Amino acid sequence: MDEEQKQIIYKISEALTTLDNNIITTPIPTNLETELEKFSNSSINNPVFSYKDKNLDLKLFGNISSDIEDMITSSKLEEESKKYFLANLDYLKNNFNAAYYIGKDDDEFYKYHKELYPLVEFVEFTPVLSKRTTELFGAEYIKNYFEEVLKLNEVEGLVQIVIDNDRKAKIGVGKDGKVIISGNISRTREDIERLAVHEVLTHSLRLINNKDTKLPHIEKRLAKDYLLFEEGLAVFNEVCSKTITEEAWNKYILRYNLITKPQTNSFRDIYNNLKDLGQTDATAFETVYRIKRGLIDTSTSKFFRKDTLYYRGFHVINDAIKAKSNEHRDLYIGKVTFRDIEFIKSIFGVVSPKFLPSFLK
């Protein structure tokens, strides 16, 4: 590819980063605690959630995205490169519009949201699953174990592991690749081994490598289907490393099926069904909350589809690698999809990831 084309590509990639993409990951209701209390004190109540207004400017976003679309279509890029960028732009439009309508209009929110998470058919697959033991370990043990994993994978010092006693979510990865552990967490040894693969050796390592992709929109995690591949690869790595537990695998499948093959629709009815299957009050509420967040009215047939990414993403990656149409290690070039990898290679030629987990070396 000549230098003029590369310069145009970089300019468009940089322009995409000017969009306030507002990728919807965890919309949190402002009245979650009060709705949980109402729900617990009733046998028929469905939560009605409210959300903080993000003050998004729909008109401004439309003007900027229209200018970027003109930049793409009028450029001297080859048609395949134009298609790549236009697909990314559509993805960001759907993200923004879905975010805009959270707490305002469930129908409009869902119209855009379901475009981000389409439902597809695939052949069922069951990996080798490990059984969990019962002994639990706390935050300090998990921190030390994660740090040992970094040493064993020869990436010591690249990822910071910290404990946050005020954190509500149990474990997560920050924008800088830092792994943050809740101070009140407790997990079995098998779950800790699995989470090390999922959080440290997938999310953190890909983020560190992401700085070398040389394309601003990928560095800023604005690539189409980024989240599908992010979570799908984490599950795929759990399977490949044989750390996936029976409980975790069944949880991925359960959440997928609740959304894609619902036996019932309302928050209350799904909750009751999960209780009948043996889930505790707290676990059943958390499960249904995850697939109903983002909505105001939780009694309808609409779902927050993000939790389909884990199981569906696993199948997308597993099928492609089994067919030998893509390489597992290429997904460590950065926060990339197979589509991004092909695009990056068309610009820069062969690109190798800087840091890899030991099971890919």
Side-chain angles (χ1 to χ4, degrees), residues 145-146 149 153 191-204 233-244 332 357 359:
Y145 182 85
F146 283 5
V149 166
N153 284 269
D191 266 334
I192 294 167
E193 292 171 356
R194 178 182 68 81
L195 287 166
V197 171
H198 191 113
E199 304 290 352
V200 180
L201 297 182
T202 305
H203 295 331
S204 286
L233 179 62
V235 178
F236 184 76
N237 285 341
E238 290 179 42
V239 171
C240 290
S241 61
K242 297 183 179 177
T243 58
I244 184 81
Y332 276 88
F359 55 81

Side-chain angles (χ1 to χ4, degrees), residues 146-157:
F146 283 5
E147 288 172 345
E148 188 61 30
V149 166
L150 291 172
K151 289 180 186 177
L152 292 172
N153 284 269
E154 300 177 343
V155 288
E156 184 182 5

Side-chain angles (χ1 to χ4, degrees), residues 101-306:
Y101 284 109
I102 285 180
K104 296 184 179 78
D105 187 320
D106 281 352
D107 289 335
E108 286 297 305
F109 161 70
Y110 198 61
K111 179 174 76 175
Y112 295 106
H113 176 73
K114 65 184 181 181
E115 292 298 316
L116 299 171
Y117 306 107
L119 305 180
V120 295
E121 295 292 328
F122 43 71
V123 178
E124 298 294 331
F125 172 90
T126 303
V128 176
L129 301 171
S130 65
K131 292 278 189 181
R132 286 194 309 194
T133 50
T134 56
E135 186 177 4
L136 296 174
F137 299 86
E140 198 61 45
Y141 178 95
I142 296 171
K143 179 177 183 289
N144 292 337
Y145 182 85
F146 283 5
E147 288 172 345
E148 188 61 30
V149 166
L150 291 172
K151 289 180 186 177
L152 292 172
N153 284 269
E154 300 177 343
V155 288
E156 184 182 5
L158 292 174
V159 177
Q160 188 179 1
I161 315 291
V162 299
I163 296 172
D164 182 352
N165 291 320
D166 296 323
R167 182 180 176 84
K168 290 185 178 180
K170 297 304 181 183
I171 295 181
V173 176
K175 292 181 179 180
D176 55 357
K178 181 190 299 181
V179 178
I180 309 166
I181 302 168
S182 170
N184 64 359
I185 192 174
S186 60
R187 289 289 185 271
T188 66
R189 190 184 305 276
E190 294 76 20
D191 266 334
I192 294 167
E193 292 171 356
R194 178 182 68 81
L195 287 166
V197 171
H198 191 113
E199 304 290 352
V200 180
L201 297 182
T202 305
H203 295 331
S204 286
L205 277 194
R206 278 189 15 123
L207 184 54
I208 290 165
N209 286 333
N210 203 44
K211 298 169 185 175
D212 297 324
T213 54
K214 300 177 184 176
L215 290 173
H217 77 285
I218 292 179
E219 289 178 23
K220 296 289 187 182
R221 287 172 280 178
L222 305 180
K224 182 179 185 292
D225 289 333
Y226 140 69
L227 279 174
L228 176 70
F229 278 73
E230 186 68 16
E231 300 301 350
L233 179 62
V235 178
F236 184 76
N237 285 341
E238 290 179 42
V239 171
C240 290
S241 61
K242 297 183 179 177
T243 58
I244 184 81
T245 64
E246 185 175 4
E247 290 80 4
W249 182 253
N250 288 340
K251 187 182 290 185
Y252 294 141
I253 294 175
L254 173 65
R255 290 174 179 167
Y256 183 85
N257 286 339
L258 286 174
I259 294 169
T260 63
K261 304 170 185 176
Q263 302 299 310
T264 187
N265 292 313
S266 78
F267 195 114
R268 174 67 65 176
D269 288 344
I270 300 170
Y271 170 87
N272 288 339
N273 286 353
L274 292 176
K275 287 290 301 298
D276 290 342
L277 292 173
Q279 287 198 3
T280 64
D281 291 357
T283 302
F285 186 91
E286 173 66 16
T287 300
V288 188
Y289 163 67
R290 286 182 66 100
I291 64 174
K292 286 292 188 178
R293 55 192 168 168
L295 298 168
I296 303 168
D297 181 359
T298 64
S299 69
T300 69
S301 60
K302 300 177 181 67
F303 295 95
F304 185 70
R305 292 185 176 186
K306 180 177 178 284

